[in-house]
Amino acid sequence: MGTLKTPSRFLCREPTEISVIRWCSAVGQVGFGYLYRNRKISKGSQSLVVKRRSYTEERNGEDSITSGRNSEDEEQRKGLLLGTERDNSGSVIGFQLIPHSDVMETQDNIAIGKEELSEDIERGEEASTKVTYSVVFVTSEAAPYSKTGGLGDVCGSLPVALATRGHRVMVVSPRYLDGGPSDKKFANAVEVDQRSKIYCFGGVHEVTFFHEYRAGVDWVFVDHPSYHRPGTPYGDIFGAFGDNQFRFNLLCHAACEAPLVLPLGGFTYGEKCVFLANDWHAALVPVLLAAKYRPYGVYKDARSILVIHNLAHQGVEAAATYEYLGLPPEWYKALEWVFPTWARTHALDTGEAVNVLKGAIVTADRILTVSQGYSSEITTPEGGYGLHELLSSRKAVLNGITNGIDINEWNPSSDEHIASHYSVNDLSGKVQCKIALQKELGLPIRPECPLIGFIGRLDYQKGVDIILSAIPELMQEDVQFIMLGSGEKQYEDWMRNLESVYREKFRGWVGFNVPVSHRITAGCDILTMPSRFEPCGLNQLYAMRYGTIPVVHSTGGLRDTVKHFNPYAEEPSGEGTGWTFSPLSRENLIAALKLAIGTYIEHNSSWEGLVKRGMERESSWDRAAIQYEQVFEWAFTDPPYAG
């Protein structure tokens, strides 16, 4: 197999001697200064021309890691040119080093390499822990302390799974206080006698840390007045908070300080850590490691992994805000973003901005998405949101790992929220859950009637408009339909109207309620998810765990996790765990739901096979944790990003 070219990402403007002195002076006043005051800056660290070293080591018996990697000699032989990466509008979104020739062959090799890496992850599922790491999650939310969606679930469960496997794990997240009952979630977190001063946004900001050791994990909460306000972590009834860039910039700086200064369990995590930066809120962490710490000999042995849960949100702000981020001026190109002409607000708008997520894509040592399907989709113009070319240039270090679920919280044999417990060996309790749900919501009690459910945000991404447009035709069938969620007002009003029109068949619960979501998952026969894109999706995993059959649009993590039903397979009850459809349309959704309804009514043995295969599917975080360990190993195989 041909060698795989790992492209470098960008070249920074070379700094003047004065700018370096000013930067050293500013950083020395705050943060990690005490760690490097007696260190000498190496010659290599003074040159801020960014270089990405290739793999040069050959490791016996580890072809799966070194296969397809570029050799340093090969790069020197062919020579490299600096080329710009542009989106479809011609806007520059990044830079890469490309060979003089064989460009198309290089891109093919990258794709082949990524495919092999994905296979290696799957083959690693049965491996035991080889090496333990100090792992630092940086996230804007972590259940049960804070949660608005799947990000909170992942950062609340995956750290526990990794700690169970022997790793030392820290989760760094804000300490959100709103003066309400939710503040009690932080009751067991104790203030650490350590404060950090962070230079950003034109001043020095002091943060404190709170710590709770639970389930083998160090839960660290960054405390600052900007996190103390009503609403969600991101906004309130009036919209997103105007200072979110500052709030999450502060989180990233504090997260980089925490392993160095917090004596958790009697000693710090130290510099040899692997940082997992989750979404744009934590995306400044890889940039800080490269720009603020490594030039002074700090975190030279650390690695960073960017975990993309939703590429649609990138942390884009005006270019003028760069000076507030606490980064040296010569690193502006890493975050530089130019909006296409059609997206600019007026004729004099230059479209210049900073994109925090782009900076992480440039500087992270590895990139992960929350499903393998989504890792491919984000390299396409349709799914890349302007970053597809930059992500394509990093395919060699881009992989997807499907999320797991908390199998203790989501367990039909012990769930405290449902009316009756059941298991794959005794499904009688599921019928009782259905009857109880119909009674609770005021629907006619008809256990034989197919009951369809939807749980999720009421917005365009989730395909709610497709569902609502399909309801009139579906209501002509002998079915009942339940929707739970909140979001755009037009969809909330639409749900209320449909309930008044179809009193005997439709119920819409505006808002979100955790116990009710459990009862809908257990009581429904079918769960539909016609999402336009879905990085992973968790509700389909919950549904299968509870014997509820998913009918989903074939995209991202939905395509990865739901196996389309084949009634003609050799097995007596067929094969598959649900129905998938594509392309997304009202007609295709209706057709797939009618297939599911017909199978439920007319083919009991096939339906029971679907239910049992879904309940038996392995969805725990244990498998995902093993796959993350493989990526940790790959991250430490390559030298860290250096500027």
Side-chain angles (χ1 to χ4, degrees):
M1 183 182 294
T3 58
L4 197 157
K5 311 297 186 298
T6 304
S8 297
R9 274 69 56 89
F10 72 99
L11 294 177
C12 291
R13 298 193 300 260
E14 190 140 347
T16 64
E17 184 176 350
I18 294 176
S19 68
V20 173
I21 293 173
R22 284 176 178 172
W23 170 241
C24 292
S25 176
V27 175
Q29 297 174 17
V30 293
F32 66 95
Y34 76 98
L35 286 170
Y36 69 83
R37 285 192 184 104
N38 296 323
R39 297 172 184 253
K40 292 184 178 179
I41 302 175
S42 64
K43 292 182 180 180
S45 68
Q46 292 181 16
S47 173
L48 291 176
V49 178
V50 175
K51 299 177 181 178
R52 184 67 178 179
R53 291 173 58 192
S54 62
Y55 292 96
T56 55
E57 297 180 357
E58 294 184 2
R59 301 176 60 184
N60 295 331
E62 297 192 24
D63 293 339
S64 65
I65 295 177
T66 58
S67 173
R69 306 301 171 104
N70 59 323
S71 70
E72 192 170 326
D73 292 338
E74 182 69 12
E75 284 190 358
Q76 293 175 350
R77 182 179 65 82
K78 288 192 172 184
L80 296 171
L81 296 173
L82 176 66
T84 58
E85 295 187 9
R86 301 177 181 270
D87 60 17
N88 291 337
S89 69
S91 300
V92 177
I93 62 172
F95 297 88
Q96 64 174 341
L97 293 177
I98 56 176
H100 284 287
S101 58
D102 300 331
V103 174
M104 293 304 294
E105 179 183 352
T106 297
Q107 295 299 323
D108 291 341
N109 286 341
I110 289 176
I112 293 171
K114 178 180 183 296
E115 197 170 291
E116 290 181 349
L117 292 172
S118 298
E119 292 173 0
D120 289 339
I121 286 179
E122 292 299 325
R123 286 198 292 267
E125 289 178 8
E126 300 301 324
S128 59
T129 305
K130 298 178 181 177
V131 180
T132 57
Y133 298 92
S134 293
V135 184
V136 181
F137 284 78
V138 188
T139 176
S140 60
E141 54 184 271
Y145 307 99
S146 55
K147 172 186 170 181
T148 64
L151 173 60
D153 286 322
V154 172
C155 294
S157 298
L158 177 58
V160 176
L162 288 170
T164 301
R165 293 183 57 78
H167 303 284
R168 191 181 187 200
V169 183
M170 176 196 302
V171 178
V172 184
S173 185
R175 183 173 178 256
Y176 301 111
L177 300 178
D178 60 10
S182 62
D183 293 356
K184 295 180 181 178
K185 295 176 181 177
F186 298 98
N188 294 327
V190 179
E191 184 174 358
V192 181
D193 186 20
Q194 177 66 53
R195 296 172 180 264
S196 285
K197 293 181 179 180
I198 295 168
Y199 181 84
C200 65
F201 280 77
V204 179
H205 304 273
E206 186 174 79
V207 299
T208 57
F209 298 96
F210 284 73
H211 173 241
E212 178 182 356
Y213 183 75
R214 180 182 60 81
V217 175
D218 290 305
W219 304 89
V220 173
F221 304 105
V222 180
D223 194 54
H224 186 269
S226 64
Y227 303 133
H228 303 168
R229 60 183 65 163
T232 72
Y234 315 112
D236 54 21
I237 58 174
F238 301 105
F241 295 132
D243 61 347
N244 276 343
Q245 185 188 37
F246 166 73
R247 298 166 75 231
F248 296 118
N249 181 69
L250 206 62
L251 170 67
C252 293
H253 280 273
C256 291
E257 291 292 307
L260 303 176
V261 303
L262 299 183
L264 306 178
F267 57 99
T268 66
Y269 274 58
E271 298 182 41
K272 190 172 183 180
C273 301
V274 53
F275 287 87
L276 270 68
N278 293 271
D279 271 351
W280 80 264
H281 322 94
L284 202 64
V285 168
V287 186
L288 288 171
L289 294 179
K292 179 181 176 182
Y293 291 88
R294 289 195 187 115
Y296 308 104
V298 184
Y299 281 134
K300 62 183 182 298
D301 294 322
R303 300 294 187 274
S304 62
I305 299 172
L306 172 65
V307 185
I308 300 174
H309 300 257
N310 191 336
L311 189 66
H313 305 288
Q314 300 177 7
V316 179
E317 295 286 351
T321 63
Y322 177 83
E323 64 179 285
Y324 302 133
L325 300 181
L327 294 170
E330 58 272 8
W331 280 79
Y332 173 76
K333 286 292 182 181
L335 279 69
E336 182 183 39
W337 181 259
V338 181
F339 279 103
T341 304
W342 61 264
R344 300 175 190 177
T345 56
H346 52 77
L348 299 179
D349 184 1
T350 62
E352 295 179 1
V354 290
N355 186 324
V356 177
L357 190 66
K358 180 215 168 186
I361 294 171
V362 166
T363 55
D365 298 299
R366 303 287 309 190
I367 304 171
L368 285 175
T369 65
V370 290
S371 70
Q372 290 189 34
Y374 194 55
S375 71
S376 298
E377 289 180 6
I378 63 175
T379 62
T380 66
E382 296 79 11
Y385 289 90
L387 292 171
H388 54 282
E389 293 185 7
L390 181 60
L391 285 162
S392 295
S393 75
R394 302 224 60 204
K395 273 187 177 180
V397 296
L398 171 63
N399 293 101
I401 298 176
T402 302
N403 285 339
I405 62 175
D406 187 333
I407 60 175
N408 294 317
E409 179 185 358
W410 292 90
N411 186 349
S413 64
S414 60
D415 192 332
E416 62 181 14
H417 301 302
I418 64 178
S420 181
H421 295 153
Y422 58 96
S423 68
V424 68
N425 298 317
D426 181 7
L427 294 169
S428 58
K430 185 167 176 63
V431 177
Q432 298 305 313
C433 289
K434 181 177 183 178
I435 293 172
L437 181 63
Q438 291 171 328
K439 183 177 181 179
E440 178 182 3
L441 298 181
L443 288 169
I445 299 176
R446 298 182 57 205
E448 78 286 353
C449 177
L451 182 56
I452 306 170
F454 168 86
I455 302 171
R457 287 195 320 276
L458 304 181
D459 63 15
Y460 182 77
Q461 178 204 332
K462 298 298 183 181
V464 176
D465 56 317
I466 303 292
I467 295 176
L468 297 179
S469 67
I471 288 294
E473 184 170 340
L474 288 172
M475 292 295 97
Q476 297 177 21
E477 304 289 325
D478 185 21
V479 298
Q480 295 175 342
F481 205 113
I482 299 171
M483 295 183 68
L484 169 68
S486 63
E488 296 182 24
K489 188 176 185 300
Q490 60 172 328
Y491 297 137
E492 294 179 352
D493 293 341
W494 204 347
M495 278 172 49
R496 294 186 182 100
N497 179 65
L498 288 172
E499 182 172 324
S500 66
V501 174
Y502 304 105
R503 289 294 303 169
E504 301 298 308
K505 289 190 171 186
F506 184 91
R507 288 293 180 273
W509 185 303
V510 176
F512 189 76
N513 183 294
V514 171
V516 172
S517 70
H518 281 246
R519 292 197 284 273
I520 291 175
T521 303
C524 284
D525 303 299
I526 300 166
L527 185 87
T528 186
M529 295 180 66
S531 303
R532 284 182 164 81
F533 69 92
E534 195 64 69
C536 178
L538 294 176
N539 285 330
Q540 83 278 12
L541 301 178
Y542 299 149
M544 288 186 285
R545 174 93 168 140
Y546 279 64
T548 300
I549 308 306
V551 176
V552 304
H553 176 216
S554 182
T555 182
L558 299 178
R559 180 174 58 244
D560 290 351
T561 55
V562 179
K563 187 176 182 181
H564 189 76
F565 175 56
N566 176 15
Y568 304 109
E570 295 181 1
E571 290 79 359
S573 59
E575 66 178 11
T577 56
W579 280 268
T580 63
F581 63 91
S582 185
L584 178 64
S585 68
R586 169 185 174 275
E587 291 73 22
N588 286 343
L589 171 63
I590 292 173
L593 285 173
K594 285 185 176 180
L595 278 174
I597 293 166
T599 304
Y600 175 85
I601 295 173
E602 300 175 8
H603 303 283
N604 291 337
S605 62
S606 293
W607 190 265
E608 185 176 347
L610 279 162
V611 169
K612 290 187 174 182
R613 285 191 295 273
M615 296 183 73
E616 291 170 346
R617 184 186 182 279
E618 171 57 45
S619 298
S620 74
W621 275 109
D622 295 337
R623 184 172 74 169
I626 296 170
Q627 296 171 350
Y628 270 86
E629 289 174 346
Q630 178 66 83
V631 176
F632 296 164
E633 183 179 346
W634 290 335
F636 280 95
T637 300
D638 196 21
Y641 185 91

